[in-house]
Amino acid sequence: MDTAEIGQIIREERKALGLHQDQLAAASGVGLRFIVELERGKVTAQIGKVIAVLAALGCEVQVLRPGDLRPEERGDGC
């Protein structure tokens, strides 16, 4: 996954929730310009702000270590 993919996910989730960019900015405590740049895939976006935006959308961030199995690979239904 890269910054462009993360930006696309954020844009799609925002639209699915019926939010405008300024509304998402207010809900996540960041500026409108940050949302615009984030949705465009800006590579230097601050991770704390990205996490705040994702949380405002109801998304979760998952970090897997090398060798960790993704949930769909475990076969345990989780």
Side-chain angles (χ1 to χ4, degrees):
M1 180 168 284
D2 62 17
T3 57
E5 289 178 272
I6 293 170
Q8 184 64 32
I9 289 168
I10 289 170
R11 178 184 211 99
E12 290 171 0
E13 289 302 313
R14 174 181 60 78
K15 287 184 173 188
L17 292 171
L19 296 173
H20 294 283
Q21 289 176 323
D22 61 333
Q23 293 171 313
L24 177 56
S28 53
V30 302
L32 173 59
R33 181 176 177 172
F34 182 81
I35 297 295
V36 171
E37 292 176 346
L38 181 59
E39 288 186 357
R40 288 183 181 159
K42 182 178 180 182
V43 296
T44 58
Q46 296 176 28
I47 189 72
K49 289 182 178 182
V50 173
I51 291 171
V53 171
L54 289 167
L57 291 170
C59 296
E60 296 181 16
V61 176
Q62 183 179 33
V63 177
L64 300 174
R65 294 180 179 175
D68 286 351
L69 293 179
R70 289 179 171 83
E72 64 273 10
E73 296 171 334
R74 286 196 307 246
D76 62 5
C78 294

